Amino acid sequence: MVIATASTPFSLSSSLVFTRRRNSKRFSVTASLSPEVSPLLRAAHHTVDKYVKSGMIIGLGSGEASDMAIRYLGHQLRSGSLQNVVGVPMSARSASEAAKSGIPLEYFRDGFQIDFAFHDADAVEENTLIAVIGRRRSSQEDDYILKQKSIVKAADEAVFIIKEEQYKAGLEGSIPVLVQSLNWLAIAEEIDDLYLGDAEVWRRASVENEGPLGGNFPIVTSDGHNILDVIFTTPIPSLADVATSLDKIDGVVDHGLIIKTRCTVMIAEETEVRSVTLQTSAVEGGV
């Protein structure tokens, strides 16, 4: 059985004291967080400090928290605290941040070995830690959903950095689905029938307010795919079930749901930063 461990608060500057409970197989770290420091910044810095080691190949995520982690990683390399770290960018945004921070880069290809990856998630389902990525934040991100997912899944271990309101059960909102462009409408209708009454299906457009069909300028990725936003208007009972049902539809190339066993979620709250780790119940004591 796969479970998520109890959340773990971290302090800003004090040493970490671990307490383990044999029966519950979970660990905790307790301390306070300075109110002058952004919790998201602290979560980004802690991710680098805890997981990145010299000599690693790191998947560099995209988003506000990932930008902070990339800049801090660059600082650690310049200071000599870390050495021989190579970054694999997930988007043009992360590549630009890494270049400005002086991080050596390699570009992802099939079979590439990645030791660790961090990434912003749009939402994470409580307990399962299934992440939603690819909800539209900027038009520059539309073309990178497949790359981001591939890099996270290729990494030996991954961390999603999110805010408190992005971590809960019964998530609502959109899930991006990449589909074959030639028969996108038939695929959209099949998805609509599958979630009839629970979700709306819109083709993503390159400009706002173009309606459910995507108007005259729908998004076409560099691989020639359209993006359908499946917008759930009621809480989703199970993201795993959604992923399974989408995978069975002919013409669906991929989607923005990531299911990864070796992953941790860093949750930036107002007064603390917590970590939740997915692990099997057979692992004694946690980490």
Side-chain angles (χ1 to χ4, degrees):
M1 179 178 69
V2 178
I3 59 173
T5 68
S7 301
T8 307
F10 291 96
S11 75
L12 180 64
S13 58
S14 61
S15 60
L16 302 180
V17 180
F18 286 82
T19 58
R20 298 181 184 268
R21 301 183 184 132
R22 271 183 195 278
N23 293 333
S24 60
K25 299 178 177 64
R26 50 181 74 175
F27 68 94
S28 64
V29 185
T30 305
S32 60
L33 184 68
S34 169
E36 288 80 22
V37 176
S38 158
L40 199 60
L41 178 66
R42 173 55 187 155
H45 284 202
H46 179 75
T47 297
V48 173
D49 286 337
K50 181 174 178 62
Y51 291 96
V52 180
K53 311 298 181 186
S54 293
M56 277 188 167
I57 298 175
I58 307 297
L60 305 177
S62 193
E64 182 182 3
S66 293
D67 288 349
M68 295 174 181
I70 290 169
R71 289 193 287 266
Y72 182 59
L73 176 57
H75 173 270
Q76 294 298 82
L77 287 170
R78 292 192 300 274
S79 70
S81 298
L82 290 170
Q83 298 177 344
N84 302 320
V85 172
V86 175
V88 181
M90 297 189 193
S91 70
R93 173 175 176 167
S94 54
S96 176
E97 285 294 335
K100 288 186 288 187
S101 300
I103 301 173
L105 295 178
E106 290 281 351
Y107 288 89
F108 183 71
R109 56 189 179 274
D110 290 341
F112 202 84
Q113 176 64 43
I114 298 174
D115 298 301
F116 171 71
F118 56 80
H119 190 30
D120 287 50
D122 296 303
V124 175
E125 186 176 57
E126 191 175 352
N127 296 323
T128 68
L129 306 194
I130 298 175
V132 182
I133 67 166
R135 289 180 178 174
R136 192 167 194 178
R137 292 187 290 265
S138 72
S139 58
Q140 295 179 348
E141 297 292 301
D142 289 325
D143 208 37
Y144 294 101
I145 297 173
L146 284 178
K147 178 180 285 188
Q148 292 166 359
K149 185 171 180 176
S150 296
I151 291 174
V152 170
K153 294 186 75 171
D156 291 341
E157 191 168 6
V159 164
F160 296 109
I161 310 172
I162 61 173
K163 297 178 181 178
E164 180 180 14
E165 61 269 19
Q166 295 170 295
Y167 179 71
K168 61 182 181 179
L171 292 170
E172 298 179 30
S174 64
I175 295 174
V177 182
L178 286 92
V179 301
Q180 297 171 357
S181 297
L182 290 178
N183 57 339
W184 75 269
L185 185 56
I187 301 168
E189 289 174 346
E190 186 172 351
I191 295 173
D192 187 58
D193 290 342
L194 187 64
Y195 302 117
L196 190 63
D198 295 323
E200 299 177 0
V201 181
W202 289 48
R203 183 166 64 155
R204 189 175 296 186
S206 56
V207 294
E208 298 295 333
N209 303 318
E210 285 296 308
L213 299 182
N216 295 322
F217 303 101
I219 293 292
V220 180
T221 70
S222 58
D223 295 318
H225 305 134
N226 280 164
I227 302 174
L228 302 180
D229 287 305
V230 183
I231 307 166
F232 286 86
T233 54
T234 60
I236 304 169
S238 168
L239 287 183
D241 289 346
V242 172
T244 299
S245 61
L246 289 173
D247 288 337
K248 292 179 179 178
I249 296 176
D250 189 33
V252 168
V253 178
D254 212 329
H255 47 73
L257 295 175
I258 302 180
I259 303 174
K260 186 172 179 66
T261 302
R262 290 183 57 82
C263 83
T264 296
V265 179
M266 289 290 176
I267 307 167
E269 299 184 348
E270 185 176 348
T271 58
E272 66 183 19
V273 175
R274 300 188 290 134
S275 77
V276 182
T277 299
L278 196 66
Q279 62 183 33
T280 63
S281 59
V283 179
E284 180 68 29
V287 190

